[in-house]
Amino acid sequence: MVNLKFNSLINLKLTQESGQTSQAPWRYNSVGDNDQFSELIYLNTPSIINELSDETINLNKLPVLLKLSQDKNDLNSFTCLYQLPKKVEKKEFSLNIDNFSKHEINIIENEIKNELTKIYNLDFDLEKFYDFLLSDEKLAPSVDFCNGLRLFIAKDPFECIISSICSANNSILRWTKSIDKIKSNWGEKVEFDDGMFYGFPSPKQFLDFYETPIEEADEDGHCYEIDCYTHNLKACGVGYRAPYMKKASQILIDDINIDEIFSMGYEEAFDLILGLPGVGPKVADCILLYGFGFEEAFPSDVWIKRIVSHLYFDGEISAEKTREFGIEHFGDYAGYAQLYLFHYARKSGLMDKIKK
């Protein structure tokens, strides 16, 4: 399989580990001078006609494993290999890429290119953004600490919503472990040559999840000790957020078409997402920025509030005023400015200076 090459300024490792995202980092491996990342994604290819065998394969979505590789000393490009699955759940997967025509391979590879361009925001002009940063003496130092940092857009907007609810008042380590547990418990199991990967459950699946071990044990007649019941949301470590996740799933089924959010204006989308249970202004902006690509969103938590207050104000301002300032002051670059401010503060020592 030929490597797909992407010629864009990006630091893949920094982008995935910046701490400001609504999806868990991809599976990571360091090989010599290369950073490697692997993840399952689904392509919008509902059917494929294998022209060599005249066979039409009907699919819901095509699962593929993407394997990204970047030379640690070259942030101006990365490559991508891909695999088709051996099994989906317990069913053998019969498609063999070696038997596809050039036309069918082009369809798959174009979809991969489109998805990676979206996920890593490759159409965003970083150099132009850096000119903007350098014009602001408060932001200018962030360029040296954040070179190649891009938005890491969720591959699944619903996963982003659930992950963002899970991230509220939570550490990055805890909420990413919770999301990984949800996926391994209930996500579609897809086996590749490189191992097992998991999809993310659908909103309808979430409605059937037990919230607590006691609910699960009650359904099972308490055949085992309570600690043995781990197929429930609280056993995944989501705590009080479990009912929020289920209620949000119900609303997304009954009242909200996720796909329509992409075409909304920012304020309309913000008000809509703010109506979901467990979602405050900061989480709503995270969902819009990292799930739907609204780059004018400015997620404002306690750290962003402190950073903005320290850099731009004499005293500490409220989270609401921080958000308003970010949207007005940074405009279309608000989302990126927030991302760079947060990472710059972490790595430059500013975060330690403003801790209280």
Side-chain angles (χ1 to χ4, degrees):
M1 189 65 58
V2 176
N3 270 334
L4 304 178
K5 188 168 184 179
F6 294 80
N7 294 309
S8 297
L9 172 61
I10 182 172
N11 185 325
L12 285 176
K13 192 169 189 295
L14 177 58
T15 294
Q16 298 211 26
E17 298 179 354
S18 66
Q20 292 284 288
T21 179
S22 289
Q23 63 178 317
W26 291 15
R27 194 174 296 180
Y28 173 70
N29 189 29
S30 179
V31 180
D33 289 332
N34 289 303
D35 287 323
Q36 297 184 351
F37 304 88
S38 301
E39 183 58 287
L40 161 69
I41 71 166
Y42 290 86
L43 301 181
N44 294 314
T45 51
S47 66
I48 293 178
I49 300 174
N50 188 339
E51 295 181 351
L52 299 183
S53 63
D54 199 27
E55 176 187 13
T56 299
I57 307 294
N58 292 313
L59 305 160
N60 180 17
K61 287 191 174 182
L62 177 65
V64 296
L65 177 65
L66 300 188
K67 301 175 61 179
L68 310 186
S69 181
Q70 183 173 49
D71 187 325
K72 297 175 182 179
N73 301 308
D74 180 12
L75 302 183
N76 291 305
S77 67
F78 68 92
T79 59
C80 171
L81 287 171
Y82 62 94
Q83 294 177 7
L84 294 183
K86 297 165 60 177
K87 287 183 181 179
V88 178
E89 292 293 343
K90 296 182 179 180
K91 184 178 179 181
E92 298 286 344
F93 201 80
S94 61
L95 290 177
N96 187 337
I97 197 71
D98 293 331
N99 294 331
F100 283 0
S101 68
K102 184 176 180 180
H103 174 68
E104 296 301 327
I105 291 174
N106 284 340
I107 290 176
I108 292 172
E109 293 185 351
N110 283 335
E111 282 291 326
I112 290 172
K113 290 175 183 177
N114 290 337
E115 284 299 301
L116 285 176
T117 297
K118 179 187 73 175
I119 291 168
Y120 289 103
N121 204 222
L122 299 180
D123 285 337
F124 181 79
D125 190 338
L126 273 183
E127 297 295 349
K128 186 176 179 181
F129 174 58
Y130 291 165
D131 289 340
F132 171 80
L133 294 179
L134 292 171
S135 69
D136 183 332
E137 64 177 2
K138 305 292 187 181
L139 290 173
S142 69
V143 175
D144 292 333
F145 288 89
C146 304
N147 187 39
L149 175 60
R150 289 182 180 270
L151 291 176
F152 186 32
I153 306 297
K155 55 191 179 298
D156 177 354
F158 176 65
E159 179 179 350
C160 169
I161 291 171
I162 296 299
S163 296
S164 297
I165 291 173
C166 191
S167 71
N169 301 311
N170 207 352
S171 73
I172 297 169
L173 181 62
R174 284 199 299 269
W175 77 254
T176 53
K177 282 186 175 179
S178 294
I179 294 302
D180 284 341
K181 184 66 175 175
I182 287 172
K183 290 167 70 174
S184 62
N185 267 354
W186 299 290
E188 184 174 62
K189 296 175 176 60
V190 186
E191 183 180 347
F192 297 91
D193 288 335
D194 283 19
M196 186 73 74
F197 288 76
Y198 301 89
F200 195 77
S202 68
K204 288 184 179 179
Q205 286 178 277
F206 262 82
L207 299 186
D208 295 329
F209 295 165
Y210 300 112
E211 288 185 22
T212 67
I214 293 175
E215 283 185 11
E216 188 182 351
D218 287 344
E219 182 69 20
D220 188 50
H222 290 263
C223 294
Y224 305 97
E225 294 294 326
I226 197 71
D227 291 344
C228 296
Y229 292 96
T230 59
H231 271 62
N232 58 83
L233 286 170
K234 288 203 173 177
C236 295
V238 305
Y240 68 88
R241 305 165 191 85
Y244 296 158
M245 293 177 176
K246 294 192 67 171
K247 289 175 185 176
S249 299
Q250 187 71 68
I251 292 171
L252 291 168
I253 291 170
D254 294 340
D255 302 322
I256 297 176
N257 183 334
I258 287 181
D259 292 336
E260 291 179 356
I261 296 173
F262 288 97
S263 59
M264 291 181 180
Y266 166 67
E267 292 297 341
E268 180 186 5
F270 179 81
D271 290 341
L272 182 69
I273 294 297
L274 196 59
L276 293 175
V279 174
K282 187 262 183 178
V283 171
D285 271 330
C286 281
I287 290 170
L288 292 178
L289 180 59
Y290 297 107
F292 296 90
F294 283 84
E295 293 173 10
E296 61 267 55
F298 193 78
S300 301
D301 60 8
V302 63
W303 288 113
I304 291 298
K305 180 182 71 171
R306 290 174 182 174
I307 294 165
V308 169
S309 296
H310 176 79
L311 293 178
Y312 291 96
F313 294 88
D314 292 333
E316 187 161 316
I317 62 174
S318 67
E320 181 179 359
K321 186 173 181 180
T322 301
R323 176 177 176 268
E324 292 173 355
F325 169 81
I327 291 172
E328 181 178 348
H329 187 76
F330 302 120
D332 291 340
Y333 287 138
Y336 262 94
Q338 187 265 6
L339 177 67
Y340 272 58
L341 281 170
F342 183 80
H343 186 71
Y344 162 63
R346 288 172 72 203
K347 296 301 181 181
S348 68
L350 177 60
M351 195 84 83
D352 294 328
K353 183 178 179 180
I354 61 178
K355 277 184 180 178
K356 294 184 179 180

